[in-house]
Amino acid sequence: QVQLVESGGGLVQPGGSLRLSCAASGRTYSFARMGWFRQAPGKEREFVAAISWRGGNTDYADSVRGRFTISRDGAKNTVYLQMNSLKPEDTAVYYCAPSEARRPRSDFGSWGQGTQVTVSS
């Protein structure tokens, strides 16, 4: 299994920036890609971005492409999400998880606690 700890969320004004971190431990070597997902109140969890541990290949949801950047530090088993030009519709709890085809893997273990991002003036 993989243990995940997300951090870096907060309250930011529209147009602002935040950098999220996801520290992974455990069987991280079992999964080729890590993804960020988010869940807004009353909505289902949705894909945000993903990156390969090896090669750094990235993928983004259309709603965040050009504004968010995903990166990773393999030595630290940490994945980051740099979020710029934030909009109120980006408000959600953000989670990371091993991913495949824009979906969380079903075999990684349990979700972390997530980190709350609130974009509001």
Side-chain angles (χ1 to χ4, degrees):
Q1 293 189 344
V2 175
Q3 292 75 46
L4 303 161
V5 179
E6 301 93 346
S7 62
L11 173 63
V12 63
Q13 293 186 344
S17 298
L18 283 174
R19 188 193 193 206
L20 307 184
S21 298
C22 167
S25 60
R27 295 174 56 243
T28 56
Y29 54 85
S30 298
F31 304 101
R33 291 176 69 79
M34 287 292 291
W36 281 98
F37 300 84
R38 66 186 182 186
Q39 187 167 21
K43 294 186 177 181
E44 294 189 353
R45 199 170 315 196
E46 65 176 1
F47 169 79
V48 176
I51 189 167
S52 302
W53 282 115
R54 297 182 66 180
N57 295 322
T58 58
D59 184 24
Y60 295 93
D62 289 344
S63 59
V64 307
R65 186 175 291 112
R67 300 187 297 122
F68 291 10
T69 302
I70 189 171
S71 61
R72 88 280 190 235
D73 184 334
K76 296 182 179 179
N77 282 343
T78 300
V79 178
Y80 305 97
L81 187 68
Q82 177 66 44
M83 307 187 296
N84 298 330
S85 302
L86 282 161
K87 304 175 181 180
E89 50 263 44
D90 294 318
T91 296
V93 179
Y94 284 70
Y95 303 87
C96 63
S99 69
E100 185 173 352
R102 296 190 166 192
R103 294 181 177 181
R105 291 281 299 260
S106 61
D107 57 348
F108 73 89
S110 301
W111 292 92
Q113 81 288 350
T115 186
Q116 175 71 48
V117 172
T118 302
V119 185
S120 175
S121 55

